[in-house]
Structure formats: structure tokens, C-alpha cells
Amino acid sequence: DQQVKQNSPSLSVQEGRISILNCDYTNSMFDYFLWYKKYPAEGPTFLISISSIKDKNEDGRFTVFLNKSAKHLSLHIVPSQPGDSAVYFCAASADRKLQFGAGTQVVVTP
Amino acid sequence: DVKVTQSSRYLVKRTGEKVFLECVQDMDHENMFWYRQDPGLGLRLIYFSYDVKMKEKGDIPEGYSVSREKKERFSLILESASTNQTSMYLCASSFSGPKSSPLHFGNGTRLTVT
């Protein structure tokens, strides 16, 4: 049973607008959360992370929000750019292993 | 920059064959991981290793084994390949746990079992 769920397999957004990617988890032991980005024919690369003691972490155009009571996190990309078109994976950790979601394909249109 | 190299980009094997997937990292990382990526399922952990000659099962170890004889090299072995092992296989490494050291992935091996 998947403990990390990304219920939207795809997202289309106009260039310059905000992209919002959502992720839900079921394991209350998870205490660290990450987002990875994957281009075709490449491995995933680390994007941004957040500890469970925080509710927000920002890095340039990328912001991750964590709502522990709802077991929900989201990634905001503002403004979206064509180079952001990729698959985004949410991941969570309770120890040294990572559990990944199924991914969300983001397409940024001109 | 960390480099994780997977020896093959594409592999086609027959059912019942023994298959070796090789992964090498060049940053002296302690931890190495094998994942498979399938549509709708994301990345699932097969095996991982925290040290030479050490291995632990991930979430889906059935039908797989691993070998880590040297720190920089982590091999995934399919003892008798089956069609349900057709997938994208991703190797990753990290210096320490995910809270202080993100995973670095290779570019993947697309395995087709016919």
C-alpha cells in the first residue's frame, strides 16, 4: 500500500502562472519530506525539502508547504517556466529510506 | 559533482535469464540504493546498502538480489528474469541519511524481459 500519494498524474499550466503540486501521506512517522524533479531519459534530481518541524520552506521560485495535521504537502512554483516541464516526485522519510509518490507530470505551455 | 553511472541504458533479456545491472558512484558515498520506476507506482525501493558487503531489503525485494563488494559499486541481480520485471531501474547513492544528504540518481536502465 502506497504511503505517499500524488493523486494528480498530470498538470498543465501557462508560463508565468503558479504551479501547485499536491502530495498526501499516511504514515505519521514520516518526519522529512522532499521533492524531486525528473526529465525524460535522466534520473530524478533533488529540488527542495522540508522537515516536519517547519510548515514552509522556500528556495527561489520553489516553496514547499507542510500541513502535518492533514498529512499533506504541496509544492508551489512561481512563476512557472518552460524548463519546469518535468515529472515531480514527492518523497517522505522516517529513517534512512525514502518512500516516493507516483509522480505528477507538469507541462508548462507558452 | 556527484556522478552515478549505470552501465547500460537499455537491456533486452529473455525470460529465465540471469541479469546483472551495474551501478558505480564516484563520490565515496556510504549509501547506495536500487529503485524501479513504473507508471502509476512511482519509485519503489528494491534493495539498499549502507556499507560494503552489507545489504537490506527494500519494499519489493522478491526476485532480486544485490552485491556490494566495493564501496563504489552496487549490483542488482535478477536471478531468473520474468516479464513482470520489465521496468526502468534507477540506482542512487547518498553520503548519509536523507535529512542531511539527498539522493543522487543515475540515468536509469530500461530493462525489457521478453
Side-chain angles (χ1 to χ4, degrees), chain A residues 2-3 31-32 34 36 38 40-46 87 89 93-103, chain B residues 9 31 33 35 37 40-43 45 48 50 57-59 90 97-100 102-108:
Chain A
Q2 280 195 297
Q3 300 180 58
D31 61 358
Y32 200 73
L34 307 91
Y36 280 78
K38 185 181 185 299
E42 294 183 12
T45 55
F46 170 71
V87 177
F89 291 99
S93 172
D95 48 29
R96 282 194 273 187
K97 296 185 295 182
L98 285 182
Q99 296 284 345
F100 284 85
Chain B
R9 200 59 192 266
N31 308 321
F33 305 81
Y35 287 87
Q37 181 192 355
L41 297 175
L43 279 67
L45 182 62
F48 58 102
Y50 294 148
K57 293 179 180 179
D59 299 315
L90 291 161
K99 296 172 189 175
S100 53
L103 292 182
H104 296 267
F105 283 87
N107 285 338

Side-chain angles (χ1 to χ4, degrees), chain A residues 7-24:
Chain A
N7 292 319
S8 297
S10 63
L11 172 69
S12 182
V13 63
Q14 265 192 319
E15 183 177 358
R17 307 293 286 265
I18 183 170
S19 294
I20 300 177
L21 290 77
N22 294 302
C23 178
D24 297 294

Side-chain angles (χ1 to χ4, degrees), chain B residues 10 15 28-29 39-40 44-45 49-50 60 63 66 73-74 111:
Chain B
Y10 299 95
T15 301
D28 203 35
H29 282 174
R44 293 179 292 165
L45 182 62
S49 169
Y50 294 148
I60 52 164
V66 290
R73 186 179 296 270
F74 193 34
L111 173 67

Side-chain angles (χ1 to χ4, degrees), chain A residues 6 11 13-14 16-23 34-37 47-50 55-67 72-81 84 88-90 104 106 108:
Chain A
Q6 294 176 256
L11 172 69
V13 63
Q14 265 192 319
R17 307 293 286 265
I18 183 170
S19 294
I20 300 177
L21 290 77
N22 294 302
C23 178
L34 307 91
W35 286 92
Y36 280 78
K37 175 179 179 179
L47 190 58
I48 192 169
S49 62
I50 188 168
D55 54 18
K56 177 182 174 181
N57 188 28
E58 193 171 351
D59 184 1
R61 297 185 297 113
F62 303 92
T63 303
V64 56
F65 296 91
L66 176 62
N67 182 334
H72 177 83
L73 64 155
S74 61
L75 175 68
H76 292 207
I77 307 173
V78 185
S80 299
Q81 298 175 353
D84 296 331
Y88 291 79
F89 291 99
C90 172
T104 296
V106 173
V108 180

